[in-house]
Amino acid sequence: MAKNLITGGLGFIGFHLSNLLLEQGEEVTIFDVAAGSPLYRDINDKVTLIRGDVSNWSQVLDAVRTSGADCIYHAGAMLPPGTEQNPQAAFNINVNGTYNVLEAARMFDVKSVMFLSTLATFGRDVPSIVPNDAAQHPLNMYGVTKVCCERLGEFYQRRYGVNFRGVRLTPILGMGRVDSAQSAYIYKSGQEAAIGRPYSIYVETDTSIAVLYVKDAAWGLYDLKNAPEEKLSTRIYNLYGMTATGQGIHDAVMKAVPAARIDFQPDAKQIQLVHNLPEKLDDAAARNDWGWAPRYSLDEAVADFVKDIRSRPDIYA
Ligand SMILES: NC(=O)c1ccc[n+]([C@@H]2O[C@H](COP(=O)([O-])OP(=O)(O)OC[C@H]3O[C@@H](n4cnc5c(N)ncnc54)[C@H](O)[C@@H]3O)[C@@H](O)[C@H]2O)c1
């Protein structure tokens, strides 16, 4: 049975990835700085939790050794706005944390290291559909740390043969996301509607943003991990789901929750931050090399997300 270690596994994507791996009959150990998560109520006894900090070398070493993992999904990270408020902590957690994971993988011959990167590694100096190998000049500390990690992972693959693979994700929608980064409206609109609270979308109706459903992100990681080595033309793949306008998100939520109370209260500062993000990633490499294709449209994603939230009112009480 495949043994997985998910750093940051108590978080939003880690939870959906845990579910997917358990459904596939695989073992899951979580390494997280947090003590627990209400998301895990129904699968708590199916996973092993090791509490620790990815920036702490001995804790990472110990977790990789005791888990006996043959695959590490490295999701543990600091995200915006925390990264921008405290860039030094962001470097320590994101870059040193990834170095610790790669070193431990090298020392214990872990078969695969899967990395979660982001479209925020690209600045505004890229084509409107961002190629997989576009120059990366990120505008924020979060993106800077993730570019460092991508290059570090590639180095470990070339120099030591560590099977490092990664995906660049666009902003993610799904149950359990809690951060307040610039893309928060893509999940808060559906979340607040599902639990019967009003919500104001802080971008314009025609502001566009790239969106991926969290279950597609989990499948992307899983499928890339299982792709034959000889099919891979790169170590890091853009994953793209769809581009949605503020109006498109509003309409998808109204379809899933007809009684939703959503309006628009545009905030120029937030809109500028959204404009800093590329709207489309070229995911041809992922499609061609290992058959990537998102399973959910925007309407399907929002409907599934709303259903998930309504099945877990305890999380939002
Ligand atoms: N959510 C998105 O839209 C998105 C988009 C692109 C990439 N990503 C990447 O996906 C990964 C997971 O993101 P998420 O949305 O699940 O975020 P999240 O904040 O929900 O989860 C992150 C988890 O990491 C843990 N963590 C933080 N610092 C840690 C440390 N020092 N040691 C161990 N654990 C630590 C947190 O406790 C949390 O459980 C991150 O690497 C993130 O950069 C997320």
Side-chain angles (χ1 to χ4, degrees):
M1 188 193 282
K3 288 185 174 184
N4 303 286
L5 180 68
I6 310 179
T7 71
L10 290 181
F12 165 50
I13 299 175
F15 166 71
H16 290 276
L17 181 61
S18 285
N19 265 311
L20 175 62
L21 296 173
L22 292 171
E23 279 163 21
Q24 302 304 311
E26 301 193 4
E27 260 179 42
V28 175
T29 300
I30 287 165
F31 178 79
D32 203 296
V33 76
S37 159
L39 287 172
Y40 274 82
R41 186 194 66 182
D42 299 335
I43 56 169
N44 226 357
D45 56 343
K46 299 190 176 76
V47 300
T48 305
L49 175 61
I50 300 175
R51 196 167 180 196
D53 184 335
V54 288
S55 66
N56 183 313
W57 163 235
S58 25
Q59 290 177 350
V60 172
L61 205 65
D62 204 38
V64 173
R65 185 182 59 82
T66 52
S67 67
D70 42 48
C71 177
I72 304 173
Y73 289 91
H74 181 36
M78 196 181 211
L79 283 87
T83 49
E84 311 317 301
Q85 287 153 0
N86 195 341
Q88 294 76 15
F91 186 91
N92 192 35
I93 294 169
N94 294 4
V95 181
N96 290 336
T98 301
Y99 167 79
N100 290 340
V101 166
L102 288 165
E103 262 296 278
R106 177 181 76 83
M107 291 172 74
F108 289 109
D109 288 325
V110 176
K111 290 196 186 98
S112 319
V113 176
M114 301 300 302
F115 182 65
L116 286 79
S117 190
T118 164
L119 94 171
T121 56
F122 298 112
R124 289 308 282 169
D125 57 339
V126 288
S128 56
I129 302 178
V130 186
N132 208 75
D133 58 356
Q136 289 168 296
H137 297 129
L139 297 174
N140 62 10
M141 185 61 183
Y142 176 58
V144 168
T145 63
K146 292 286 185 171
V147 177
C148 285
C149 298
E150 288 188 14
R151 300 293 82 78
L152 198 58
E154 287 171 350
F155 172 79
Y156 268 73
Q157 193 269 332
R158 280 195 309 276
R159 175 73 178 263
Y160 300 114
V162 171
N163 182 13
F164 173 84
R165 303 177 178 190
V167 292
R168 289 190 198 107
L169 303 170
T170 71
I172 311 275
L173 170 78
M175 181 182 78
R177 190 174 155 189
V178 291
D179 66 90
S180 55
Q182 66 266 48
S183 63
Y185 69 99
I186 69 170
Y187 80 92
K188 280 200 175 152
S189 46
Q191 172 189 300
E192 297 303 287
I195 52 187
R197 293 196 291 236
Y199 185 72
S200 296
I201 295 177
Y202 51 77
V203 297
E204 304 280 6
T205 52
D206 62 353
T207 305
S208 292
I209 191 165
V211 178
L212 185 66
Y213 190 42
V214 68
K215 293 181 186 176
D216 276 326
W219 273 113
L221 282 160
Y222 183 77
D223 289 341
L224 174 57
K225 186 244 163 173
N226 290 300
E229 181 63 30
E230 64 275 14
K231 296 273 186 195
L232 304 190
S233 58
T234 182
R235 307 314 301 181
I236 307 268
Y237 287 89
N238 286 351
L239 293 194
Y240 175 71
M242 60 204 113
T243 299
T245 59
Q247 188 69 47
I249 290 169
H250 169 277
D251 294 351
V253 173
M254 293 306 297
K255 267 188 213 160
V257 185
R261 288 167 290 154
I262 313 172
D263 65 358
F264 284 86
Q265 287 186 26
D267 173 332
K269 208 170 148 196
Q270 293 289 343
I271 292 168
Q272 186 51 48
L273 291 173
V274 174
H275 280 316
N276 285 342
L277 300 172
E279 288 169 23
K280 280 188 181 168
L281 298 184
D282 180 355
D283 59 0
R287 287 178 181 270
N288 295 336
D289 289 2
W290 47 275
W292 156 252
R295 290 157 168 82
Y296 292 82
S297 67
L298 182 60
D299 283 349
E300 288 164 345
V302 172
D304 192 67
F305 167 44
V306 165
K307 182 165 68 72
D308 275 359
I309 289 185
R310 287 184 164 162
S311 72
R312 292 295 311 275
D314 56 300
I315 297 174
Y316 298 94

